Amino acid sequence: MSKYKPYIISLLLTFAVAVLGGIVTYKGRENYMQLIQPPLSPPEWLFPVVWSVLFILMAVGAARVYIKGGEVISKEIIIYAVQLIFNFLWCVFFFGIGAYLFAFVWLLALIGLVFAMTVLFYRVDKPSGLMQIPYLLWLCFAAYLNIAVYLLNY
């Protein structure tokens, strides 16, 4: 059981953030759906599917890095936790408050954090770093959607 403990803890913490973000997103969904949507907007059902996969990859990568790092709280795990907080707060800014331009700037900071996390993870455990690339790409796509929503509606 102790072999899987870092994975279980990482998945639980990561999905706790995901659930909180999902609650905020769900509550702001009605306002968002009334906005002019940018070209290339995916269907609504795709978002929870993609985010579930990305959160699993994040959590597994973080657990692997934690294990490889000698089970200490390293800078890699700290940046992981910080980017999770930034991820959640983006939901608050975009869906909760509707501060679309601020959310875009916040998202750029999140992309920077995730890029740094990806590099740090890669240095400790190559598969863990590679697992973060889909997350980084999705965030770049989300940045396009975010700024487009702002530009089309304000």
Side-chain angles (χ1 to χ4, degrees):
M1 181 64 171
S2 66
K3 176 179 164 181
Y4 300 106
K5 186 177 177 182
Y7 292 98
I8 293 167
I9 291 170
S10 184
L11 284 165
L12 288 174
L13 290 174
T14 302
F15 273 94
V17 172
V19 167
L20 291 173
I23 291 168
V24 173
T25 300
Y26 185 78
K27 289 184 177 189
R29 195 173 133 255
E30 283 185 39
N31 290 338
Y32 174 74
M33 295 309 291
Q34 293 175 6
L35 298 173
I36 300 167
Q37 299 298 311
L40 305 178
S41 290
E44 191 176 340
W45 64 265
L46 187 62
F47 288 98
V49 172
V50 169
W51 277 111
S52 295
V53 170
L54 295 176
F55 278 118
I56 289 169
L57 290 172
M58 279 187 256
V60 169
R64 289 175 58 97
V65 166
Y66 177 76
I67 291 166
K68 291 261 176 132
E71 298 189 4
V72 296
I73 303 300
S74 62
K75 64 183 175 228
E76 294 84 5
I77 299 304
I78 291 169
I79 199 168
Y80 177 72
V82 170
Q83 71 81 27
L84 278 178
I85 294 166
F86 267 66
N87 184 305
F88 167 73
L89 289 173
W90 178 84
C91 297
V92 172
F93 300 139
F94 188 87
F95 289 103
I97 301 172
Y100 303 118
L101 184 58
F102 182 80
F104 173 71
V105 173
W106 191 264
L107 187 53
L108 294 179
L110 175 59
I111 289 168
L113 284 168
V114 172
F115 179 79
M117 179 186 79
T118 301
V119 170
L120 290 171
F121 276 23
Y122 188 83
R123 289 180 184 163
V124 174
D125 179 62
K126 287 183 172 113
S128 295
L130 295 174
M131 282 186 240
Q132 307 317 305
I133 292 173
Y135 180 32
L136 195 55
L137 293 173
W138 184 256
L139 288 176
C140 290
F141 180 62
Y144 153 73
L145 294 173
N146 187 156
I147 195 63
V149 163
Y150 173 74
L151 293 172
L152 290 170
N153 292 280
Y154 296 97

